[in-house]
Amino acid sequence: PSVCLSVVTCARLLPHSMKLKRKNLDNTKAGSITFQAEEAEDLWHAYNLISIGDRVRCSTMRKLKKEGATGSVETKDRVKVTLTVHVETIDFDPKDGSLRLSGRNVEENKYVKLGAFHTLTIEMFRNFSIQKGFWDAVALARVEEACDVAARAEVAALMIDEGLANLYLLTQSMTVLRAHVDAVIPRKRMGSHTSHDKALQRFYGTVYEGLLRVIDFEVVKCVIVAGPGFTKDSFMQYLLHQAIVTENKKLMENKGKFIQATATSAYKHALKEVLADKLVLEKMEDTKAALEVRALNRFYKVLTTEPDRATYGLREVNRAAAQSAIEILLISDTLFRSDDLRLRDTYVKLVEEIKDNGGEVHIFSGMHVSGHQLTQLTGIAAILRFPIPGLDDSSSDEEGDSEETSDSEITL
């Protein structure tokens, strides 16, 4: 029986942050900021910072083309050039951690004509500059968050079932699959469990190795081991036994960070069940993921018990804000990536208004399970300071249809 371990992305979980190399903003908050990405999450922050219409400058490789004597075009060696493009399209792939921007060159140079179309790839350990006509409050808050060393990897979650294990890392902004283990475990036979037990031990050994390769206990505050049945329990016994046998002091010193929880499967969608466990939330303490889950759970509770003190949807939230009624705003960061600049500005001003009125704002990451659920619920919701009956009375029929799901609580 084969056992396959895939470490999906870089296993380095050191407490690094994106480097802010240079900041050049004028009194109107127009200008450029230069960064250097040091890990995959930095590219996620860059993806959230760059908008259509921005200018981005970084180095890239360009093929040299020269017309021959016969009129044919010859392609020569690739050269390194620094380009500034007016961004027209943005493509981010969280699986392989790639960020590509396409647009037209706005600064002519020796190799690329003005107006020539080019695709830039933002790469780690290479400077890139973002120029905006206006850096709003949400964008500047994202810059501060991205460059904060303390706000990094906080929780690891091992979702495990017999023959299948997925190790996720919950950073401040993302839930990322870091290792995947798939194994064939033979069924137990009448009178003999030898082949089953040997395959299971090999599976546990591979998961154990993957866990040690991925997790940096100096950074991670909590390791959740969850799944259906007894596999999670027997794996924890294996892990602690191996730590003793191999005299792994680091693992023994951090065994208190491990917590077991029940889940219906070993896949990512089951994380929402795990994060609803009170013991898990207590263990996660003040991590951003836990704060988001608590805030969303509270919203659903208020929506059920005091429906006039909870609302969702931009129109309804705006009406509540106009009455200075919002105590807590829950908003997905996906809304700030709107290509409609006026709509983005609406969300930004709403966040600023609520903060100015003493309200609390939680900006959920669309890459977290809680952020995904909020996105399904229009991406914006609020808990009110006082009841406002009939807040959504004038909503359209289409909005009314979508709100039929509001009575049933979605469990995280």
Side-chain angles (χ1 to χ4, degrees):
S2 61
V3 182
C4 177
L5 166 65
S6 300
V7 177
V8 181
T9 56
C10 177
R12 181 174 61 88
L13 300 184
L14 300 177
H16 286 269
S17 64
M18 184 155 68
K19 288 184 178 179
L20 196 158
K21 307 291 285 188
R22 187 165 48 257
K23 188 175 183 180
N24 184 22
L25 304 184
D26 62 22
N27 292 335
T28 66
K29 295 184 180 178
S32 65
I33 302 179
T34 303
F35 304 93
Q36 184 182 94
E38 293 206 332
E39 57 186 25
E41 187 173 1
D42 295 337
L43 298 179
W44 165 254
H45 285 299
Y47 170 59
N48 281 280
L49 285 169
I50 299 170
S51 302
I52 304 297
D54 289 348
R55 293 187 175 191
V56 175
R57 180 180 178 84
C58 72
S59 59
T60 184
M61 301 302 293
R62 184 85 172 185
K63 289 182 180 178
L64 291 182
K65 294 182 179 180
K66 185 177 181 181
E67 188 174 331
T70 61
S72 61
V73 177
E74 301 176 357
T75 300
K76 290 195 171 185
D77 295 336
R78 294 164 65 90
V79 295
K80 184 178 179 180
V81 296
T82 299
L83 296 181
T84 302
V85 302
H86 182 270
V87 179
E88 296 181 14
T89 62
I90 307 170
D91 180 36
F92 175 69
D93 187 344
K95 292 183 179 179
D96 60 13
S98 63
L99 176 59
R100 296 181 179 87
L101 317 169
S102 297
R104 299 195 178 277
N105 180 39
V106 295
E107 293 183 7
E108 189 170 7
N109 61 51
K110 181 180 178 181
Y111 301 106
V112 183
K113 294 181 179 179
L114 193 67
F117 197 81
H118 193 83
T119 297
L120 298 178
T121 300
I122 305 298
E123 298 179 352
M124 289 189 282
F125 308 108
R126 186 174 293 176
N127 289 358
F128 65 95
S129 298
I130 304 172
Q131 182 179 345
K132 292 178 179 287
F134 177 69
W135 286 82
D136 59 47
V138 171
L140 291 175
R142 170 74 69 170
V143 170
E144 186 176 343
E145 175 186 331
C147 299
D148 181 4
V149 177
R152 286 297 167 170
E154 299 176 310
V155 179
L158 175 64
M159 307 298 289
I160 188 169
D161 197 359
E162 192 168 286
L164 176 66
N166 289 303
L167 181 57
Y168 296 96
L169 178 68
L170 282 70
T171 68
Q172 187 168 10
S173 304
M174 304 175 72
T175 300
V176 184
L177 177 65
R178 284 296 174 97
H180 169 78
V181 181
D182 199 0
V184 177
I185 309 295
R187 292 184 179 182
K188 294 180 180 179
R189 295 182 179 180
M190 186 71 68
S192 175
H193 300 163
T194 303
S195 59
H196 172 274
D197 292 345
K198 285 183 177 179
L200 196 59
Q201 290 298 302
R202 282 194 295 270
F203 168 65
Y204 286 160
T206 307
V207 175
Y208 177 81
E209 291 172 7
L211 186 145
L212 293 182
R213 288 175 61 184
V214 168
I215 295 178
D216 183 345
F217 287 104
E218 293 183 6
V219 181
V220 172
K221 299 178 181 179
C222 173
V223 183
I224 304 166
V225 180
F230 299 102
T231 304
K232 61 183 180 300
D233 306 290
S234 56
F235 173 73
M236 278 302 300
Q237 293 175 4
Y238 175 92
L239 180 143
L240 295 174
H241 175 71
Q242 286 298 113
I244 294 171
V245 171
T246 60
E247 297 183 350
N248 190 320
K249 293 182 179 179
K250 179 68 71 176
L251 194 54
M252 291 302 297
E253 290 171 358
N254 288 277
K255 65 180 181 181
K257 292 183 178 181
F258 285 80
I259 184 170
Q260 294 170 237
T262 300
T264 53
S265 79
Y267 293 100
K268 183 179 179 180
H269 66 81
L271 267 174
K272 60 185 179 182
E273 308 161 15
V274 176
L275 297 179
D277 190 306
K278 291 183 179 179
L279 292 177
V280 172
L281 283 174
E282 288 175 4
K283 196 75 174 180
M284 290 169 65
E285 295 176 344
D286 60 347
T287 63
K288 186 174 188 289
L291 294 175
E292 288 183 358
V293 171
R294 287 193 182 99
L296 196 53
N297 277 343
R298 184 182 172 193
F299 168 79
Y300 282 118
K301 183 177 180 180
V302 174
L303 187 64
T304 302
T305 59
E306 302 176 78
D308 289 339
R309 279 194 59 230
T311 190
Y312 60 91
L314 179 58
R315 180 183 298 181
E316 291 73 18
V317 171
N318 264 331
R319 288 175 179 163
Q323 301 179 52
S324 300
I326 295 180
E327 178 186 350
I328 301 175
L329 176 71
L330 294 73
I331 184 168
S332 171
D333 61 8
T334 58
L335 299 181
F336 299 108
R337 292 199 297 273
S338 173
D339 292 340
D340 186 334
L341 297 182
R342 288 185 299 177
L343 183 58
R344 176 192 162 87
D345 188 52
T346 297
Y347 291 123
V348 171
K349 288 180 178 177
L350 180 62
V351 167
E352 292 177 330
E353 178 186 348
I354 291 169
K355 286 183 176 179
D356 290 343
N357 288 330
E360 185 179 325
V361 176
H362 290 276
I363 299 179
F364 284 59
S365 169
M367 291 290 286
H368 277 322
V369 288
S370 54
H372 178 66
Q373 288 194 280
L374 180 61
T375 300
Q376 291 179 323
L377 196 71
T378 75
I380 186 169
I383 299 172
L384 311 183
R385 292 189 172 101
F386 48 82
I388 305 181
L391 191 61
D392 58 351
D393 281 352
S394 59
S395 297
S396 65
D397 292 337
E398 289 80 10
E399 289 174 330
D401 291 340
S402 68
E403 289 170 3
E404 290 178 3
T405 58
S406 66
D407 292 335
S408 56
E409 179 177 353
I410 301 176
T411 304
L412 287 180

